[in-house]
Amino acid sequence: MKIMKRLLPLYIIMVYCITAFTGCSGANYEGKDLVDRAKKIHTDQDAAHITVSDRTTYEVLQEITYRFEGDVMQYMYIGRDIETGREYYEFNSGNELDTWQTGDYGWNAVARGSEGYYNYSRAKRHYFADGDLLLNDYSSAVKSAEIRNEVGGLKRVCLQYDDSRIAQYEQMSGVTGYREQYEFDPVFHDGQCINMLVTYQKDGREYSYEIDIEYCDPEEPIKRVGLPAVSGEITENAQ
């Protein structure tokens, strides 16, 4: 999604474009086994709906629904830049890539095999369908970790990072107070991570982002959603 990366603010790209992150030393901490298990569970899933929200404004920044049909990933993605109001839509059926961004009148379609077409598979994973969506790339900088047992059997792993150690990662320059919280459901969902929260400070401003993960029926087709109204036109229906 190269177009959307240009639309999103730098701090969102830093946190959520997982493929750009470097690996960590694999340091152990309390709850790491739960995180590692959830990463594998997420990678093995055939279908999911994921939203990324700004906790300070309660606005959805990114959302995707996907499923694998055989080896091919089909998906519907929407990205929003709340600072500029721009949006980006991307639908991939596995045979055609349809994109739209603010300023376009209608969908831009590229057929499979044509220039500009791209897709994802189980081997070439979209970052939302990869276990590394559950960040944890900086475990060598974990300062403290705590497992909290919640009502209904839910478990939370809360990680606090050391400012001086996390600053050694180039991508985290200027970041302080970095924290992650994972919520797992070992009772009804076999240890799946159903929610993740990331908070930190940078340049005198606090950022807080939340990822919600819901696994779906892989037999349910992925639909292309309607576009926002353009120049007073009626919003296109889902199809």
Side-chain angles (χ1 to χ4, degrees), residues 179-191:
R179 301 185 301 277
E180 294 172 358
Q181 176 181 281
Y182 303 85
E183 185 173 299
F184 305 95
D185 186 351
V187 177
F188 296 104
H189 295 93
D190 196 31

Side-chain angles (χ1 to χ4, degrees), residues 7-226:
L7 297 181
L8 288 177
L10 177 61
Y11 56 82
I12 299 177
I13 295 174
M14 179 186 71
V15 175
Y16 291 110
C17 289
I18 310 303
T19 55
F21 284 4
T22 57
C24 65
S25 67
N28 288 319
Y29 56 83
E30 188 176 13
K32 187 174 186 297
D33 57 329
L34 295 173
V35 176
D36 289 343
R37 174 173 170 74
K39 282 180 177 240
K40 184 179 186 308
I41 290 173
H42 187 72
T43 300
D44 291 343
Q45 290 299 316
D46 289 328
H49 176 72
I50 300 171
T51 59
V52 180
S53 305
D54 187 328
R55 281 286 296 268
T56 60
T57 63
Y58 296 98
E59 295 184 79
V60 175
L61 304 176
Q62 301 184 67
E63 58 183 307
I64 186 171
T65 303
Y66 70 83
R67 73 164 183 156
F68 285 96
E69 183 170 355
D71 186 54
V72 177
M73 180 178 171
Q74 301 174 336
Y75 62 90
M76 179 67 224
Y77 170 88
I78 302 174
R80 302 178 179 91
D81 185 336
I82 59 176
E83 293 187 353
T84 65
R86 294 177 65 81
E87 293 186 315
Y88 175 74
Y89 285 51
E90 183 169 304
F91 172 75
N92 198 319
S93 67
N95 293 308
E96 183 176 278
L97 171 66
D98 298 339
T99 62
W100 176 91
Q101 62 180 318
T102 300
D104 294 343
Y105 185 79
W107 290 98
N108 301 296
V110 181
R112 185 183 185 91
S114 301
E115 183 179 357
Y117 178 84
Y118 56 88
N119 68 347
Y120 300 90
S121 65
R122 294 185 188 275
K124 179 189 173 184
R125 286 192 170 267
H126 189 291
Y127 62 85
F128 275 117
D130 194 298
D132 283 343
L133 174 68
L134 310 180
L135 302 177
N136 194 37
D137 279 323
Y138 308 114
S139 62
S140 62
V142 171
K143 179 180 180 180
S144 63
E146 178 186 5
I147 298 178
R148 299 175 184 172
N149 295 309
E150 306 291 345
V151 175
L154 295 178
K155 290 182 179 291
R156 285 195 175 97
V157 174
C158 304
L159 305 179
Q160 174 72 51
Y161 288 76
D162 182 86
D163 288 346
S164 60
R165 280 184 283 168
I166 205 167
Q168 297 175 13
Y169 294 91
E170 182 180 354
Q171 298 92 338
M172 304 299 281
S173 176
V175 170
T176 60
Y178 188 79
R179 301 185 301 277
E180 294 172 358
Q181 176 181 281
Y182 303 85
E183 185 173 299
F184 305 95
D185 186 351
V187 177
F188 296 104
H189 295 93
D190 196 31
Q192 294 173 1
C193 181
I194 58 176
N195 178 273
M196 179 181 168
L197 181 64
V198 176
T199 59
Y200 61 93
Q201 293 84 44
K202 183 177 174 65
D203 298 329
R205 179 177 172 183
E206 180 162 335
Y207 299 96
S208 181
Y209 301 105
E210 184 172 28
I211 300 176
D212 287 299
I213 304 172
E214 178 184 1
Y215 295 120
C216 307
D217 180 358
E219 300 300 320
E220 186 70 23
I222 302 298
K223 296 182 179 180
R224 192 180 74 173
V225 305

